[in-house]
Structures are given as structure tokens and as C-alpha cells.
């Protein structure tokens, strides 16, 4: 059995979060890692739309870590890197996992519209050992590289309205000599040093 990488959600309250995971899934670890990295921070609705678009080749998964032999594509413009692919099989499994996490959250009574993916992690699973037969009587390994996936979805907290009262903080007029040279040199930072007036 695989343990979760995180014990607590970001909000520190399991009443506002739900989780889902898959163990030993026979899909490429590298493709799934790159796809899952894109999903972190997305709302569940946006994540499902993104994965469906990748399957239809309307959006691309930018490859940032596992980039060996990955071709460049014009769809990557705006993602911060030039290499990308459309890992269809990984998208189908991640789509199922997002739906599963969403259903688990709904069973807890969380609002579907405010759910977002706060944590997603991919781990290498035990490789599937096979072999392939080569020329001149040789045998080479022919392994698969499955992975474990875990996901936390949380209800996004509501924004706290801005206070109408006056702030107790004011800009400090005196710059302390205790500040190091680098800070003193930077006038812009020195102006932002705050002090509580008593």
C-alpha cells in the first residue's frame, strides 16, 4: 500500500478537502508527471476542460523536466517552454481521478464550483518486467514504468473584506543603522520599512 506524501491539506482541515489516489497504474511515469504538473492549482472544472482539450490536441502539455527527445511545437507559446506533447493515455487516467476526487468532495458536502486541486503528486511504481528477443540470440529487458498518483482537492476559501478602519502602521521616517549595507543602499526598500507607532 502506498502512503500519501502529505498528511494534511493546505487548509489544515479535512472537512474542507477530499482526496483520491491510484496505485500502480500502467501509464508512463514521465508523461503523467508532466501532465499532472499542469493541473496543480487549477479548479476541477478547468482541469477537466484542459485534459479534454489535450486529448483533442487543442491544448498542449509543456514538458519541463523530462525533455529528452521531445519535439517543439507552436502551441507551447505562452507556457514558458518550447517542448510539448499530447499524452492521451495519461489524460484519460487523470480525468478519471479528477472526477473521483470531485465525487468524494461532493459526498463530504463541499461545493463543486469552489473546488481546486491543491496537491497532486506522481511517484514511480515497481516496473513491470518483460523481455524482448534480439538478433544473435540476445535478450534485452522490456520493462514498463507505471506510477502512483495522489490528488487533494480543496474548497477555495472566501476572501476577507478589507477593513474600513485606519491602519496602525505608518511609514518609518528614521532608517535604523542596524540594517545591513545592502538594505541601506537600496532606497526603495528603505522607504518600505514599517514601524508601529506607539
Amino acid at each position: 500500500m502506498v502512503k500519501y506524501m502529505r498528511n494534511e491539506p493546505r487548509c489544515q482541515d479535512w472537512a474542507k478537502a477530499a482526496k483520491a489516489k491510484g496505485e500502480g497504474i500502467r501509464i508512463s511515469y514521465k508523461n503523467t508527471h508532466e501532465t499532472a504538473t499542469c493541473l496543480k492549482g487549477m479548479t476541477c472544472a478547468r482541469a477537466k476542460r484542459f485534459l479534454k482539450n489535450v486529448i483533442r490536441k487543442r491544448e498542449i502539455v509543456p514538458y519541463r523536466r523530462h525533455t529528452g527527445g521531445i519535439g517543439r511545437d507552436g502551441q507551447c507559446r505562452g507556457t514558458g517552454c518550447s517542448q510539448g506533447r499530447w499524452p492521451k493515455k495519461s489524460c484519460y487516467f487523470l480525468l478519471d481521478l479528477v472526477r473521483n476526487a470531485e465525487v468524494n468532495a461532493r459526498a463530504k458536502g463541499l461545493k463543486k464550483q469552489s473546488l481546486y486541486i491543491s496537491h497532486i503528486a506522481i511517484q514511480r511504481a515497481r516496473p513491470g518486467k518483460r523481455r524482448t528477443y534480439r538478433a544473435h540470440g540476445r535478450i534485452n529487458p522490456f520493462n514498463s514504468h507505471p506510477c502512483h498518483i495522489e490528488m487533494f482537492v480543496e474548497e477555495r476559501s472566501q476572501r476577507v473584506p478589507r477593513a474600513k478602519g485606519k491602519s496602525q502602521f505608518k511609514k518609518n521616517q528614521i532608517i535604523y543603522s542596524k540594517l545591513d549595507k545592502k538594505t541601506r543602499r537600496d532606497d526603495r526598500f528603505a522607504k518600505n520599512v514599517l514601524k508601529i507607532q506607539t
Side-chain angles (χ1 to χ4, degrees), residues 92-155:
Y92 278 122
F93 275 92
L94 285 168
L95 192 59
D96 285 343
L97 201 71
V98 171
R99 284 175 183 153
N100 187 6
E102 210 173 30
V103 169
N104 294 345
R106 223 179 303 156
K108 280 189 165 186
L110 303 178
K111 292 176 184 175
K112 185 181 172 183
Q113 295 81 14
S114 59
L115 290 176
Y116 79 103
I117 298 167
S118 63
H119 165 74
I120 187 163
I122 314 297
Q123 297 170 323
R124 289 180 195 271
R126 185 181 176 182
K129 305 262 183 183
R130 288 183 294 167
R131 57 189 187 173
T132 183
Y133 300 92
R134 311 305 297 267
H136 311 297
R138 290 173 300 137
I139 291 173
N140 281 2
F142 200 74
N143 299 343
S144 63
H145 302 281
C147 59
H148 308 305
I149 311 171
E150 63 181 61
M151 183 186 292
F152 291 177
V153 292
E154 294 180 26
E155 206 171 42

Side-chain angles (χ1 to χ4, degrees), residues 11 16 111 114 116 155-162:
C11 64
K16 294 180 181 178
K111 292 176 184 175
S114 59
Y116 79 103
E155 206 171 42
R156 211 178 277 282
S157 56
Q158 292 178 350
R159 287 188 176 181
V160 179
R162 195 169 183 171

Side-chain angles (χ1 to χ4, degrees), residues 45-195:
R46 170 65 184 130
K48 287 193 289 186
R49 198 164 66 247
F50 173 77
L51 292 168
K52 286 173 185 174
N53 286 345
V54 170
I55 291 164
R56 296 183 195 128
K57 292 196 175 185
R58 289 179 185 167
E59 285 188 72
I60 198 166
V61 174
Y63 277 54
R64 300 175 197 279
R65 179 179 287 180
H66 307 290
T67 55
I70 306 294
R72 296 176 294 179
D73 198 272
Q75 267 191 0
C76 288
R77 192 176 287 119
T79 61
C81 63
S82 58
Q83 294 168 291
R85 276 185 180 172
W86 303 268
K88 200 171 182 181
K89 193 174 177 184
S90 296
C91 287
Y92 278 122
F93 275 92
L94 285 168
L95 192 59
D96 285 343
L97 201 71
V98 171
R99 284 175 183 153
N100 187 6
E102 210 173 30
V103 169
N104 294 345
R106 223 179 303 156
K108 280 189 165 186
L110 303 178
K111 292 176 184 175
K112 185 181 172 183
Q113 295 81 14
S114 59
L115 290 176
Y116 79 103
I117 298 167
S118 63
H119 165 74
I120 187 163
I122 314 297
Q123 297 170 323
R124 289 180 195 271
R126 185 181 176 182
K129 305 262 183 183
R130 288 183 294 167
R131 57 189 187 173
T132 183
Y133 300 92
R134 311 305 297 267
H136 311 297
R138 290 173 300 137
I139 291 173
N140 281 2
F142 200 74
N143 299 343
S144 63
H145 302 281
C147 59
H148 308 305
I149 311 171
E150 63 181 61
M151 183 186 292
F152 291 177
V153 292
E154 294 180 26
E155 206 171 42
R156 211 178 277 282
S157 56
Q158 292 178 350
R159 287 188 176 181
V160 179
R162 195 169 183 171
K164 292 178 182 177
K166 268 195 169 182
S167 173
Q168 296 178 356
F169 294 94
K170 276 198 173 181
K171 283 190 179 179
N172 189 8
Q173 304 299 323
I174 304 161
I175 309 302
Y176 289 113
S177 59
K178 286 181 183 177
L179 296 173
D180 59 7
K181 287 180 183 178
K182 194 173 181 182
T183 311
R184 269 186 276 151
R185 215 181 307 134
D186 189 356
D187 293 334
R188 284 175 296 167
F189 183 85
K191 286 176 185 174
N192 293 329
V193 176
L194 300 175
K195 181 187 176 186

